[in-house]
Amino acid sequence: MPLLLLDLDNTLLPRDAAFRAWAEDFLAENGLPAGDLDWLVMLDGSGYVPRSTVLGAAKRRYGFDRSVESMLAHYRLGINSRIQCPDSHVEALRKAREAGWTLGIVSNGGTLPQLEKIRLTGLASLVDGWVISEEAHCLKPDPLIFEIAARRCGFRPAGDWRTQTWMVGDYGPADIAGAAATGLRSAWLHHGRPWAERAYRPTISAPSLPEAVGVILSAAERPTAGRGFATAATGRIQRSRGHLAIPASRLAPAAGRLTPNAPSAPTAPKTPLPPGTPLAQPGAQPLTPAASLATPLTKAVALTPLEPTPAPAATAQTRWGDASTAPTTSAAAG
């Protein structure tokens, strides 16, 4: 009974493209030099710089006689009107749901702005649940936020649930490190970038969300005996599990081509485990009670366990979610 968890900004939604579109209009509307676009994009830091810092710098640079708070309200209205979920992403999510996968969103950021994105782009009707770091009081890569996401999607973590769950994201220190710390498989959206982390690595890398989802769905092969994720709701159908077969390769992919991964340094070969051999799972942390946010779906085939990836030493930075202040949790935590 597989579970697919997805990051929000620059994974499900092209957040950086929306910011660039807003910045272009912002400069034009205020009669400012078009060449300052790159300056604004650089300062934005893909959303990891607080909005108060970005807009405060713009206020001083251009001598605006208005408050940062009024600029923030204008910014949030503008960027949310420009962000959309691409049709190819919607189609990928629908294919996953038709295949019986449960879908959840795991996002670092401010609660209200992230919820606005989920609802305005139609994602609320395409997923089974979501969790946002500010309201959950924990951040990726903390394993707790992934366990909360699982519960909100209609599950209670039990048995080998981690071996049947994938995390898809674009930011290594939060999405991929979090998956590694939790014992999940992961798909990294490289967007043309090389992998730079040494302490951990994704299971696969892909240039885009549709290609990553396609590989994940194709990993469920010939059905065998089912077991694993215990459901919180009654009436769920447990189906068979499949085998994962993704070859290892290098992690500096050419643009536009899906490339599975290999370790960043040579390692001794390992003897593959027979299909269906259970492995010891990392200890689960207690869950914060949370209600399911959407009606769960019927599940399909699950995946064969892989050896859990060692917990990473790196920490992540939270995306500020287009909010003017920091989330209630520490920005350095994830």
Side-chain angles (χ1 to χ4, degrees):
M1 300 173 63
L3 173 64
L4 183 61
L5 300 176
L6 305 110
D7 174 50
L8 184 62
D9 290 311
N10 291 329
T11 296
L12 283 167
L13 302 177
R15 184 262 169 207
D16 284 358
F19 178 85
R20 192 175 187 89
W22 170 83
E24 288 176 341
D25 291 345
F26 169 79
L27 294 172
E29 290 168 2
N30 290 280
L32 300 172
D36 280 7
L37 176 62
D38 289 341
W39 180 82
L40 286 169
V41 170
M42 175 185 66
L43 200 62
D44 171 61
S46 289
Y48 291 103
V49 177
R51 300 300 86 193
S52 57
T53 299
V54 177
L55 297 176
K59 171 181 165 69
R60 292 188 298 273
R61 182 180 179 92
Y62 302 120
F64 289 146
D65 185 20
R66 48 180 157 161
S67 68
V68 172
E69 288 73 18
S70 67
M71 293 175 65
L72 173 66
H74 181 270
Y75 164 80
R76 282 187 58 187
L77 180 63
I79 195 169
N80 283 344
S81 68
R82 289 167 175 82
I83 197 164
Q84 296 179 344
C85 187
D87 291 342
S88 60
H89 293 194
V90 173
E91 181 62 22
L93 295 182
R94 286 177 175 163
K95 286 180 179 178
R97 295 193 71 166
E98 289 170 0
W101 286 69
T102 295
L103 308 178
I105 296 173
V106 186
S107 175
N108 281 357
T111 305
L112 291 179
Q114 299 303 79
L115 279 178
E116 285 179 3
K117 294 175 186 176
I118 291 171
R119 290 168 177 161
L120 290 174
T121 58
L123 285 172
S125 64
L126 296 175
V127 300
D128 297 279
W130 54 79
V131 59
I132 300 169
S133 63
E134 184 181 33
E135 52 88 12
H137 302 288
C138 57
L139 293 156
K140 295 178 292 185
D142 187 343
L144 179 59
I145 197 169
F146 299 97
E147 295 176 358
I148 293 174
R151 182 178 291 278
R152 292 186 178 183
C153 287
F155 297 108
R156 49 183 174 85
D160 62 352
W161 72 274
R162 295 174 181 84
T163 67
Q164 305 178 59
T165 301
W166 283 79
M167 174 65 197
V168 182
D170 70 298
Y171 187 43
D175 303 317
I176 308 307
T182 311
L184 314 179
R185 295 187 182 98
S186 61
W188 178 57
L189 305 187
H190 60 71
H191 299 315
R193 304 163 295 167
W195 180 256
E197 304 294 338
R198 294 182 178 272
Y200 57 93
R201 66 183 187 273
T203 308
I204 63 169
S205 67
S208 69
L209 177 68
E211 291 180 80
V213 172
V215 171
I216 292 170
L217 296 186
S218 67
E221 296 178 353
R222 183 172 56 84
T224 58
R227 68 184 176 90
F229 221 137
T231 61
T234 59
R236 291 183 177 271
I237 300 175
Q238 293 197 15
R239 297 184 183 173
S240 57
R241 56 188 306 188
H243 297 199
L244 181 67
I246 299 178
S249 182
R250 304 188 62 167
L251 248 185
R257 182 169 62 88
L258 181 66
T259 309
N261 305 315
S264 56
T267 57
K270 295 183 180 180
T271 303
L273 292 175
T277 302
L279 295 175
Q281 300 299 323
Q285 301 184 30
L287 283 176
T288 302
S292 175
L293 298 184
T295 303
L297 297 177
T298 301
K299 306 302 177 297
V301 296
L303 302 174
T304 301
L306 288 182
E307 181 179 354
T309 309
T315 57
Q317 182 183 17
T318 185
R319 192 184 301 274
W320 291 85
D322 307 322
S324 59
T325 58
T328 56
T329 47
S330 170

